[in-house]
Amino acid sequence: MVHFCKLCPWQSKKLLVLSILFCTITLTIIIYTSQLKYGTMTAKYLQIFRNITMSWQDEIEEDTERVNIYLKGIWTFRSDGRLGNQMGEYATLYALAKLNGHQAYILPAMANYLSPIFRITLPTLHDSVKNRIPWKEYHVNDWMEDQYHSIPGDYVMFTGYPCSWTFYHHIREEILREFTFHDFLKEQTDAFLRRIRGERKNVTYVGVHVRRGDYIHVMPDMWKGVIADKKYLDTAMAYFRNKYTNVVFAVTSNGMDWSKENIDNSKGDVFFSDDPQQSSPADDIALLAHCNHTIMTIGTFGYWAAYLAGGETIYLTNFTLPESPFLKLFKYEAAFLSEWIGLPADLSPLLPQEA
């Protein structure tokens, strides 16, 4: 009994300490768990708040874009033709929209043509939006006119096949930036030019575009005109051979067999773009644009090759009869820069043959 009475106070203190310790640990766990739950719930609510805020921000941005579109309208160009036509339509749209203070958009078809080749910057208007807009069609001629300085309408879709420096030559540097080639095309072109240069030093590259294809029949049958012949190409190439040393000609064409048969390569200074493999329109225009000078024949593709290349350009001029209906749609002075050199075409195949 004596021992029990002596131990009891100690045991009571021990039990009290243990109880306090247990309660403290339990309370700590409860508080920690609550904090975790609260923190998780807080994090969830914060995330929900962020999502709502981001959604509001997206809606605000979309509304802002709608307001901008409402204020500036939407101008675009109907996508027609092949690469040269598409480039002419893009550059004309860019210039006219800027001139009139409207926002320009391109259609998906035009983007599909141009964006794989060039670093164009105009935004694309998706078909789902395009089909809901009450467009006002506006036809443009192949040359700039005074009335194009104040074109009415907020939702304008241009039509036509313009390919004239008169629309955009005053902002030439901007147009050249729009038609900056992607790096892979630059590298590919540089490799081709290095290969054809060989051991030559201080080479002058002259790009040659020979337009044939459907023009063989379209020009005489529909437009009372001709396309470039062998004599024209010989004269144009002689000009560069006489003026520059170490000239190398890079020839592209949609009639390569005819070109190889009719272009004089007796000096070994002519190289064709389909060697060693068939080239694409993107390959060809990149090659021509990276040459120092240009010989073009006829058509928008050759025009753009010359415009991008800079340097000297020789072109075929007076290639239709005076009564040609083509001249109602086309002006030589609006198609070719004044510093370019025009060689008159031989129209004798169109004239009545003497008996």
Side-chain angles (χ1 to χ4, degrees):
M1 294 294 293
V2 174
H3 293 291
F4 178 77
C5 290
K6 288 182 178 178
L7 290 173
C8 191
W10 180 84
Q11 289 177 336
S12 297
K13 291 180 181 179
K14 184 177 181 181
L15 288 172
L16 181 60
V17 171
L18 289 174
S19 297
I20 293 171
L21 182 61
F22 175 77
C23 290
T24 302
I25 293 172
T26 302
L27 184 60
T28 301
I29 292 172
I30 292 171
I31 293 172
Y32 180 71
T33 304
S34 298
Q35 287 177 338
L36 285 177
K37 291 181 179 178
Y38 176 76
T40 303
M41 293 175 65
T42 302
K44 289 181 178 178
Y45 283 121
L46 285 173
Q47 185 60 47
I48 292 171
F49 178 74
R50 290 192 191 99
N51 291 341
I52 293 173
T53 303
M54 291 175 66
S55 178
W56 286 347
Q57 288 175 341
D58 290 341
E59 290 180 7
I60 290 171
E61 290 175 0
E62 290 176 1
D63 289 340
T64 302
E65 179 64 18
R66 291 191 191 102
V67 170
N68 288 336
I69 289 174
Y70 176 77
L71 292 176
K72 294 187 175 182
I74 300 178
W75 282 18
T76 191
F77 211 113
R78 190 173 66 194
S79 176
D80 287 317
R82 289 175 287 194
L83 181 55
N85 296 124
Q86 299 283 339
M87 293 175 70
E89 291 155 14
Y90 183 99
T92 303
L93 169 64
Y94 184 102
L96 290 181
K98 181 172 184 175
L99 179 65
N100 286 268
H102 288 273
Q103 175 61 54
Y105 288 78
I106 60 173
L107 301 181
M110 184 176 290
N112 291 339
Y113 253 107
L114 300 180
S115 60
I117 305 173
F118 306 108
R119 296 180 176 180
I120 54 176
T121 63
L122 292 184
T124 300
L125 186 68
H126 294 288
D127 286 331
S128 60
V129 178
K130 182 200 76 171
N131 296 334
R132 297 168 61 186
I133 294 175
W135 296 105
K136 174 187 176 182
E137 289 197 355
Y138 193 100
H139 179 79
V140 292
N141 291 322
D142 197 15
W143 54 84
M144 182 66 183
E145 298 200 63
D146 289 340
Q147 65 204 46
Y148 300 158
H149 285 84
S150 55
I151 299 172
D154 290 328
Y155 303 100
V156 174
M157 180 176 291
F158 293 109
T159 63
Y161 295 88
C163 187
S164 171
W165 60 269
T166 58
F167 288 100
Y168 43 76
H169 198 55
H170 61 289
I171 52 170
R172 174 181 171 83
E173 293 305 316
E174 291 183 45
I175 298 302
L176 294 180
R177 281 197 298 272
E178 290 297 309
F179 292 140
T180 298
F181 291 92
H182 289 301
D183 288 343
F184 78 93
L185 282 169
K186 292 180 181 179
E187 294 166 0
Q188 174 181 297
T189 299
D190 289 343
F192 184 89
L193 293 176
R194 285 195 301 270
R195 181 176 66 82
I196 66 176
R197 180 185 65 205
E199 300 300 321
R200 300 176 181 87
K201 303 295 183 182
N202 300 319
V203 168
T204 296
Y205 294 103
V206 178
V208 183
H209 178 249
V210 183
R211 178 71 160 89
R212 293 188 62 79
D214 56 337
Y215 272 29
I216 296 174
H217 303 291
V218 169
M219 286 307 297
D221 297 344
M222 181 180 296
W223 300 120
K224 297 183 179 180
V226 297
I227 58 177
D229 56 12
K230 175 178 171 55
K231 181 180 178 182
Y232 166 80
L233 292 170
D234 287 343
T235 304
M237 294 173 75
Y239 170 86
F240 287 107
R241 285 183 174 128
N242 293 332
K243 186 169 183 177
Y244 300 98
T245 57
N246 293 328
V247 176
V248 170
F249 297 93
V251 180
T252 69
S253 178
N254 61 343
M256 197 62 86
D257 290 341
W258 183 94
S259 299
K260 290 179 178 179
E261 291 174 4
N262 289 275
I263 291 178
D264 178 16
N265 193 21
S266 59
K267 298 181 182 297
D269 56 0
V270 178
F271 298 86
F272 299 92
S273 64
D274 66 346
D275 181 16
Q277 60 185 10
Q278 186 67 40
S279 59
S280 67
D283 299 332
D284 285 349
I285 199 162
L287 174 59
L288 295 171
H290 283 84
C291 289
N292 303 111
H293 308 290
T294 307
I295 297 172
M296 62 171 290
T297 53
I298 192 173
T300 58
F301 191 96
Y303 163 86
W304 276 110
Y307 195 82
L308 297 184
E312 293 189 83
T313 296
I314 293 182
Y315 66 94
L316 186 70
T317 189
N318 298 334
F319 49 79
T320 68
L321 295 175
E323 65 272 22
S324 169
F326 188 72
L327 298 179
K328 296 180 180 179
L329 310 173
F330 178 86
K331 293 182 178 181
Y332 288 101
E333 65 274 17
F336 308 114
L337 293 171
S338 59
E339 62 266 29
W340 291 2
I341 303 169
L343 298 181
D346 177 10
L347 297 177
S348 60
L350 301 174
L351 302 177
Q353 299 298 318
E354 295 182 2

